[in-house]
Amino acid sequence: MSTSNSDKKISLLRRRLLFSGLSLCLPALAKEEFATLHFIPAESSRVAQRSPSHHQSSRSGSRESVKRVMIDPGHGGKDPGAIGHRGSEEKHVVLEIAQNIRTLLKQHKGYDVKLTREVDEFIPLYKRIEIAHQHNADIFLSIHADGFTRPEAHGASVFALSTRGASSTLARYMASKENAADDFTDIDVQTRDTALQRVLFDLVQHRTIQDSLKLGQHIIRQVKAVHPMHSQHTEQAAFVVLKSPSVPSVLVETSFITNPNEEVLLGTQVFRMKIAHAIAGGIMRYFAHAVA
Ligand SMILES: [Zn+2]
C-alpha cells in the first residue's frame, strides 16, 4: 500500500513536516482549530535534503529496513498520574511496561526503540512530541494506566487523535485528564504557537490519523487476546501528546488503576510483561502490513 505515487508524496510531505519543527506549536491548538487550518508547503530544500525514505536507515545508507519506535511512559516526576486505592502510582507502572515493550521489540531485527523517559522525571507533553521527532520516529505510543470516576470501569483502551471532537464520553474524559499533565509545566506554549503562525498540514495530518487508527486496531487485536477491552475500537479525542502531524501516534490505556482488581494486576510483573507482549505484537503487525 505504500507504493503508489500519492502515498510517496504523502510520505515525503510527512518527512518535510517532521523536520520543519512546526509540530512545536501543536500543543496549544484546540481540537476545533485543527479543522480550520490549511496546508502550506514546507519551505525548503534544506528540509528535503534531510528526508530519508520512511523505512530506511539514514545512518548506514543501507537499504535495510529500520523501524523507529518511540515509547512514551506517561506522567513522571511531580506528575504521578492516576493513583490506585492501594496507592499504586501510574507513572511507575507505565515506565516498566514501556521498558518491557522495548525489550521485546529489540529481540527482533530492525527495531530501533527509544523511550521518552528512562527514569521518574517530569516531561511536558509538547516535549514528548519533540523527542519523537528528534528520534525520527516512525510511530509513537504513549503508555498509561489511568483512573476513572467509577471504580468498576475496567479493561484496556486505545486512543488516537481526533480533530473533530471526542468519539465517546470516556475518550473526552481521558483526553482532559491526560492533557492536564501540562498543568505541571510553567512554559507558555501559547507563545510558541504564535511564533510559528499556527500552520498545519491538513492533508498530512489526516493521513497520519488514518495510520494511527490502523496502529490502534493492530494493538487492540493483540491486547484483547490477553485482557478485556473497555472499547473494541480505537477511540478518538484531542490528546495533546498525540498531536504530532507526521508521526502516527496512539495512547494505550493498559487498564484502570482505579479498578481494585486491575490495580492488583498492574502491580504484577507477569501482567506488565503480558500486556507489553501484546502491544509489541500489535506494533510488529502494523509494520508488517505497512510494508506489505
Ligand atoms: Zn495517564
Side-chain angles (χ1 to χ4, degrees):
M1 62 160 239
S2 60
T3 55
S4 74
N5 283 340
S6 66
D7 280 359
K8 282 178 182 168
K9 283 178 187 167
I10 289 168
S11 179
L12 179 59
L13 285 171
R14 273 186 178 172
R15 288 292 115 181
R16 287 179 171 174
L17 184 56
L18 189 71
F19 290 112
S20 71
L22 288 172
S23 66
L24 299 183
C25 71
L26 297 184
L29 294 177
K31 58 179 181 277
E32 292 81 6
E33 293 171 312
F34 268 81
T36 61
L37 292 165
H38 299 286
F39 176 81
I40 296 177
E43 21 103 37
S44 65
S45 51
R46 173 180 59 80
V47 168
Q49 63 185 309
R50 290 192 59 198
S51 303
S53 168
H54 197 56
H55 294 296
Q56 289 176 13
S57 167
S58 56
R59 285 182 293 273
S60 66
S62 78
R63 297 189 63 80
E64 185 178 322
S65 171
V66 176
K67 304 162 194 76
R68 297 188 177 91
V69 179
M70 178 60 67
I71 308 289
D72 172 45
H75 313 281
K78 58 190 175 185
D79 172 16
I83 299 175
H85 299 289
R86 294 156 58 109
S88 310
E89 292 184 324
E90 180 185 359
K91 64 177 183 177
H92 298 306
V93 171
V94 296
L95 178 58
E96 188 174 314
I97 293 172
Q99 289 167 335
N100 288 346
I101 296 170
R102 174 172 59 188
T103 300
L104 291 164
L105 285 177
K106 291 190 90 167
Q107 291 171 359
H108 298 269
K109 196 163 177 276
Y111 279 91
D112 178 5
V113 188
K114 291 207 165 38
L115 270 54
T116 52
R117 67 177 177 95
E118 299 282 350
V119 295
D120 181 17
E121 64 174 329
F122 175 73
I123 302 175
L125 297 177
Y126 78 85
K127 184 71 179 170
R128 296 169 191 252
I129 299 174
E130 203 174 308
I131 293 169
H133 283 205
Q134 285 166 356
H135 178 55
N136 200 8
D138 291 317
I139 58 171
F140 175 94
L141 291 93
S142 195
I143 308 297
H144 292 260
D146 267 273
F148 196 50
T149 48
R150 293 179 293 108
E152 61 270 25
H154 70 284
S157 316
V158 180
F159 299 90
L161 179 65
S162 168
T163 59
R164 298 188 191 85
S167 60
S168 70
T169 305
L170 177 72
R172 186 178 302 111
Y173 176 82
M174 286 300 182
S176 68
K177 278 198 75 182
E178 299 302 356
N179 294 348
D182 268 355
D183 293 347
F184 290 90
T185 184
D186 299 326
I187 294 173
D188 180 8
V189 289
Q190 203 67 39
T191 306
R192 306 167 70 92
D193 184 23
T194 304
L196 289 162
Q197 300 180 356
R198 312 177 77 164
V199 176
L200 251 189
F201 293 30
D202 272 0
L203 175 64
V204 179
Q205 180 77 67
H206 175 74
R207 180 55 187 261
T208 299
I209 291 176
Q210 294 306 306
D211 282 349
S212 302
L213 293 171
K214 286 179 195 165
L215 174 61
Q217 285 310 112
H218 282 295
I219 291 171
I220 286 173
R221 270 187 217 124
Q222 300 306 309
V223 171
K224 74 180 183 184
V226 300
H227 190 63
M229 295 300 302
H230 190 271
S231 174
Q232 296 295 322
H233 63 274
T234 307
E235 297 275 1
Q236 289 182 263
F239 290 89
V240 167
V241 80
L242 302 182
K243 286 185 176 178
S244 167
S246 55
V247 183
S249 304
V250 295
L251 186 146
V252 182
E253 294 283 0
T254 52
S255 284
F256 287 92
I257 206 166
T258 45
N259 178 293
N261 294 332
E262 293 199 333
E263 183 182 9
V264 171
L265 269 183
L266 286 164
T268 67
Q269 289 190 350
V270 170
F271 180 78
R272 291 173 183 182
M273 182 53 81
K274 186 167 75 171
I275 204 82
H277 194 272
I279 294 169
I283 291 169
M284 293 176 65
R285 279 164 179 77
Y286 168 80
F287 279 115
H289 281 80
V291 300

